[in-house]
Amino acid sequence: MSRNFVIDGESFRLDGQDFRVLSGAMHYFRVHPSQWAHRLRMLHAMGLNTVETYVPWNLHEPRPGEFRDLELLGAFLDAAAEEGLLAIVRPGPYICAEWDNGGLPWWLTDVRVRTSDPGYLRYVDRFFAELIPSVAERQITRGGNVIMVQVENEYGSYGTDQAYLRHLADELIAHGIEVPLFTSDGPGDWWLTGGTVPGLLATVNFGSEPERAFETLKRHRPGEPLFCMEFWCGWFDHWAGEHITREPADAADSLERILAMGASVNLYMAHGGTSFGSWSGANRHEAYHATISSYDYDAPIAENGAPTEKFWLFRDILRRYNPDVPEVPQAPAALPPSAVALTGSVRLADAGTGIRSTAPFPPTFEELGLEHGLVSYRTRVPGPRKPYKLVVDGLHDRAHVFVDGELRAVFSRDADDALEIPGPAEIELLVESMGRTNFGPHLGERKGILRGVRHHQQFLHDWEVTAYPLTVPAGFGEVVAEPRSFFRGEFDVAEPGDTFVELPGWGKGYVWVNGFCLGRYWERGPQQRLYVPAPLLRAGANEIVVLELDQVGPLEVRLTAA
Ligand code: GLA
């Protein structure tokens, strides 16, 4: 049977019938594939009929022309179809999403991103040629479940290059996309006049006041369906900021009002999941704020897949519009709480994971070909000379500053830090990247040291550089409680279950379980634990590795239940 999904005046029609899209965002790249089925069932059981996902270009093209894991998107769409859910795909190429660089690859340094710069479009076209056929073959018109595809993402928040948007739409069509294309933007004149495309559906993103938002949309697009493509029912956190939540009753009230207006909706997020590894992004308005690893988002379905109060409130509302939904599945099993002793360690500098080079100036991460991790920059301040200020000009994002082998300061981005030292002196800066800005005009930023290191006015040259990708070392010695080291422990599991890692008393760093990087931790919070999905564990022996940069705590890792 050939199916279809079309826009008909102010409504959507699915196979000829009026249809309300009740969608929820869940990013396949933020949930372990073995858990997709459970989470999709949860979305469905909440009363949704559709799942929405972005596609992060940088995950799929780690180096120019080198593609990986492209089959994940198709597998996810198939899992959604299996669950009986329709799907909306938002392939970018820019996605925002609190994801490193808004999904743009870190190596896009020679082009003007998010414009019709031919150099940029060549990269986009090459990526779309790899990706879009897997979406096209899963469209509802071809027996699949994809009903809509987004062009760019909130482009009105960024620019006015209509030729760029038109190019993206034409590329999607050229690769066979025949379901409705759409844009999504803030509900205001400047957004909607910059980010929409004549002939494509315009949707709006907001968290509250649906009447006002849709009034604006209607003014721009009379006679078209109303769709809130991102109903922000929760929010995300920055490191060292407050934990942000959205009152369940307040969110439910907005949802109720959106639906009462006859609109379609996509809950952002229905299930947030985790920005594993170093994938979380950052915001920069006045200053730079890195985003935490958890993407729980205070969503109705929590990071570990559990239903929250918001889930039950939303379910009551959504089921009035979509009564035929499955039972809420059982919550996944959790591991019993335990403490894992850290019994081995190795210093970062001795771990054998570093890649050494020399350069007259301190190269950026991008010049070193390093996506994330740490870079050690060493040089000498000539002397004798009296004390002057040592400053890092363009620090992205944080540096431990050593003088003659001794830790003297930790510099932060945007902080105007300086250290008075005399010459001669041997200096080392160990610079950590905390995630690339994913929203606004500062997109496409570099990491490391952007302009240089100065003593007084003088730039220092002649650098010895060691790049440390985020990899687990091969060998560990007896444990020594020294920061800037990897620590290792082993633990036995009878039957895999979900757990959370906590490191009370520790400072800042990264955690791996069985070689998989869970993300960052930092005593400054607000995130205090890292989610370990059960499928990362195996019955029998498991390994945990911690890279601690600031301060070593008690030599154990706590595994806690939800
Ligand atoms: C915007 C973007 C999303 C996300 C949200 C905030 O709406 O389109 O990708 O960044 O903000 O979570």
Side-chain angles (χ1 to χ4, degrees), residues 54 95-98 153-154 205 230 232 235-236 268 295 297:
Y54 280 130
I95 61 169
C96 196
E98 290 67 70
N153 187 71
E154 291 193 333
N205 302 340
E230 291 180 26
W232 301 315
W235 202 249
F236 58 93
Y268 193 94
Y295 204 61
Y297 213 85

Side-chain angles (χ1 to χ4, degrees), residues 511-559:
V511 182
W512 289 259
V513 166
N514 294 331
F516 181 91
C517 186
L518 300 176
R520 297 185 174 94
Y521 67 90
W522 197 357
E523 44 84 22
R524 296 179 72 178
Q527 178 171 2
Q528 294 295 351
R529 55 184 202 168
L530 288 162
Y531 176 53
V532 186
L536 290 181
L537 301 177
R538 45 192 178 231
N542 292 268
E543 181 193 59
I544 190 154
V545 172
V546 176
L547 170 61
E548 169 59 52
L549 300 171
D550 287 3
Q551 168 195 309
V552 178
L555 289 172
E556 62 174 34
V557 170
R558 299 239 178 104
L559 299 182

Side-chain angles (χ1 to χ4, degrees), residues 330-352:
Q330 278 229 306
L335 278 193
S338 66
V340 179
L342 296 170
T343 53
S345 73
V346 58
R347 292 172 59 224
L348 173 66
D350 303 332

Side-chain angles (χ1 to χ4, degrees), residues 196-242:
T196 56
V197 179
L200 302 194
L201 180 72
T203 69
V204 283
N205 302 340
F206 56 83
S208 48
E209 296 192 77
E211 297 78 10
R212 208 163 75 164
F214 285 137
E215 230 15 82
T216 309
L217 178 61
K218 276 192 206 161
R219 205 157 29 77
H220 285 262
R221 294 299 186 94
E224 293 188 3
L226 301 179
F227 203 142
C228 176
M229 193 48 67
E230 291 180 26
F231 165 49
W232 301 315
C233 55
W235 202 249
F236 58 93
D237 295 341
H238 291 128
W239 288 115
E242 267 177 42

Side-chain angles (χ1 to χ4, degrees), residues 9 18 29 33 41 90 110 130 142 152 192 222 230 265 307 321 360 400 402 468 471 517:
D18 262 3
F29 45 95
R41 172 59 58 89
R90 304 201 287 166
D110 57 341
E130 294 289 325
R142 303 189 190 174
E152 243 275 352
L192 287 166
E230 291 180 26
V265 71
Y321 295 88
H400 289 80
F402 301 87
Y468 296 105
T471 45
C517 186

